[in-house]
Amino acid sequence: MAQKNLLPMILLGLINIEKKTGYDLKKDFETEIGEFWSVKHSQIYLELKRLEGNGEIKSTTGFYGNKIEKTYYEITKKGKERLDSWLDSYSDILSVNKDEFVLKLYFIKSRKDPRLQDLLQEQYRQRKQKLEHLLDRKELLFSTKKERDDNYGHYLILDHAIRREREYVNWLEEMMK
């Protein structure tokens, strides 16, 4: 089954929050959205052209700040309607997690495989590092109740990611014993 292209919805959602440049959107994927969704930089600009061609966003190019030419994108009524329609819909399809580490584990047939411990330890190091990063982000973004309440969906996603990584780290610790 073909995977649904959700990039337009992500971009519409981000632009709906506030006007953004392509660079702003790229930064959002490197920080906030990147915790649960990845995209190539070039895909962002291709999709922005499609959205603009469909009349779902509009762009304004001008000189801002230090007289740097920038193009800002903002959502149109048509784009807002599409975003709202998507937010109101529900999918009964669970997404498939493409995890190279899990795939490699699948092909290791023996507990005595010399690659197993290194694979587990490297994944443990990476997951611990990611967990620490997520905890730092939570402290930075949501240290007060007001900050949590003002962007509750983002808070929930970050909390979910922290719980997922904690469980992953715990599982890895258990498997390395």
Side-chain angles (χ1 to χ4, degrees), residues 105-151:
L105 283 181
Y106 179 79
F107 290 112
I108 290 181
K109 297 301 179 191
S110 169
R111 206 182 267 232
K112 295 177 182 176
D113 188 310
R115 298 168 290 194
L116 183 59
Q117 278 305 311
D118 287 344
L119 186 61
L120 291 170
Q121 287 173 353
E122 178 56 22
Q123 188 67 192
Y124 177 76
R125 184 194 65 74
Q126 290 177 22
R127 294 292 175 163
K128 281 285 278 187
Q129 186 177 10
K130 185 169 185 175
L131 177 58
E132 289 168 14
H133 167 76
L134 292 169
L135 290 167
D136 290 345
R137 295 290 300 159
K138 185 177 179 183
E139 180 60 31
L140 176 71
L141 298 173
F142 303 110
S143 60
T144 68
K145 184 177 182 335
K146 180 176 178 1
E147 290 168 332
R148 287 189 298 271
D149 291 346
D150 286 350
N151 203 348

Side-chain angles (χ1 to χ4, degrees), residues 69 90 96 103 121:
E69 187 176 52
Y90 300 94
V96 175
L103 185 61
Q121 287 173 353

Side-chain angles (χ1 to χ4, degrees), residues 24-174:
D24 295 334
L25 292 164
K26 176 185 167 289
K27 295 306 279 180
D28 286 342
F29 275 98
E30 290 173 0
T31 55
E32 309 311 324
I33 303 298
E35 298 299 340
F36 56 90
W37 204 271
S38 65
V39 67
K40 292 183 177 124
H41 182 75
S42 60
Q43 290 175 282
I44 294 171
Y45 288 98
L46 286 172
E47 196 58 50
L48 288 170
K49 283 185 186 223
R50 277 192 214 109
L51 290 169
E52 190 167 23
N54 293 341
E56 295 170 323
I57 61 172
K58 63 181 180 178
S59 65
T60 309
T61 301
F63 292 94
Y64 301 92
N66 296 335
K67 297 185 181 181
I68 297 173
E69 187 176 52
K70 294 182 181 184
T71 300
Y72 278 91
Y73 298 92
E74 55 188 307
I75 197 164
T76 63
K77 182 179 180 197
K78 183 178 179 182
K80 180 87 168 100
E81 288 170 356
R82 182 177 179 197
L83 177 63
D84 288 342
S85 175
W86 174 72
L87 287 170
D88 290 338
S89 69
Y90 300 94
S91 175
D92 61 354
I93 300 169
L94 291 174
S95 62
V96 175
N97 183 15
K98 295 179 181 178
D99 186 331
E100 186 177 353
F101 166 71
V102 171
L103 185 61
K104 286 181 179 183
L105 283 181
Y106 179 79
F107 290 112
I108 290 181
K109 297 301 179 191
S110 169
R111 206 182 267 232
K112 295 177 182 176
D113 188 310
R115 298 168 290 194
L116 183 59
Q117 278 305 311
D118 287 344
L119 186 61
L120 291 170
Q121 287 173 353
E122 178 56 22
Q123 188 67 192
Y124 177 76
R125 184 194 65 74
Q126 290 177 22
R127 294 292 175 163
K128 281 285 278 187
Q129 186 177 10
K130 185 169 185 175
L131 177 58
E132 289 168 14
H133 167 76
L134 292 169
L135 290 167
D136 290 345
R137 295 290 300 159
K138 185 177 179 183
E139 180 60 31
L140 176 71
L141 298 173
F142 303 110
S143 60
T144 68
K145 184 177 182 335
K146 180 176 178 1
E147 290 168 332
R148 287 189 298 271
D149 291 346
D150 286 350
N151 203 348
Y152 196 63
H154 186 176
Y155 172 76
L156 290 176
I157 290 166
L158 192 51
D159 186 66
H160 174 265
I162 289 168
R163 291 170 189 241
R164 179 194 65 226
E165 292 305 318
R166 270 196 186 123
E167 180 54 34
Y168 215 135
V169 165
N170 291 340
W171 177 78
L172 286 163
E173 286 174 346
E174 193 175 315

